Amino acid sequence: MAPRNPEQEKEILEWISAVLEDPLPEGDFADVLKNGVVLCKLMNKIKPNSIPKFKEKGPAFLLMENIQSFVGAAKKYGVPDEEVFQTPDLFEARNIPQVTLCLFSLGRTTQKYPDYAGPAIGPKMATKNQRNFTEEDIAKGRNSQIGLQAGSNKGASQAGLGGMGNTRHM
């Protein structure tokens, strides 16, 4: 398990607060998110009605359902399976770095949705850069002679060289 990164946790909490347009309660990263209420509100802000009902208060098993609902909604939104976390990772603080990874992934995933206008977090997602070549361009490329990187090797070969560029001794 990776060690916790306080800077990343702080960045995530600031991002969540910016998305919700509301300050978060003070406290440790895991404690603020533990009951899943903030996560459900976050998911509903990113994609309205993705978690129609969640519990604000109650016994542990009901609050754990909030986390389960968030994870399901995040997967449905496009967060890859390998980047989501399990309920005990957060509720029992078993693997907080995985929670951080999931939230960064959620932040990145929002970039795929043009209707999301909230703040961004993490690196910009790569976009497809498709090129369309005509048959003429392809034929030109096949028929052109491309020299070596330096232009020409002037008859040089690897004859007489052993492995790793060492000369062979006979």
Side-chain angles (χ1 to χ4, degrees), residues 47-105:
K47 187 170 190 323
N49 297 318
S50 50
I51 306 172
K53 291 183 181 180
F54 59 92
K55 304 284 187 258
E56 299 264 351
K57 294 182 176 129
F61 69 91
L62 286 178
L63 298 176
M64 289 171 74
E65 286 179 8
N66 289 346
I67 298 170
Q68 200 77 33
S69 297
F70 167 78
V71 169
K75 281 184 183 181
K76 205 171 181 181
Y77 192 68
V79 174
D81 285 346
E82 58 276 1
E83 293 183 351
V84 295
F85 61 93
Q86 302 295 314
T87 301
D89 292 342
L90 175 57
F91 199 81
E92 298 171 10
R94 287 189 187 170
N95 191 355
I96 298 302
Q98 187 66 31
V99 176
T100 306
L101 173 69
C102 178
L103 290 167
F104 268 113
S105 182

Side-chain angles (χ1 to χ4, degrees), residues 92-166:
E92 298 171 10
R94 287 189 187 170
N95 191 355
I96 298 302
Q98 187 66 31
V99 176
T100 306
L101 173 69
C102 178
L103 290 167
F104 268 113
S105 182
L106 176 64
R108 270 193 333 269
T109 304
T110 60
Q111 297 173 28
K112 293 180 181 178
Y113 292 85
D115 58 329
Y116 174 76
I121 190 169
K124 186 175 184 295
M125 294 284 279
T127 56
K128 191 173 183 178
N129 186 5
Q130 189 168 349
R131 292 162 175 90
N132 296 314
F133 294 102
T134 65
E135 288 298 322
E136 185 181 325
D137 291 335
I138 294 169
K140 264 193 234 176
R142 285 189 181 135
N143 296 334
S144 67
Q145 289 194 341
I146 300 172
L148 299 172
Q149 286 180 352
S152 169
N153 67 358
K154 297 185 174 125
S157 75
Q158 291 183 336
L161 295 179
M164 304 299 285
N166 299 324

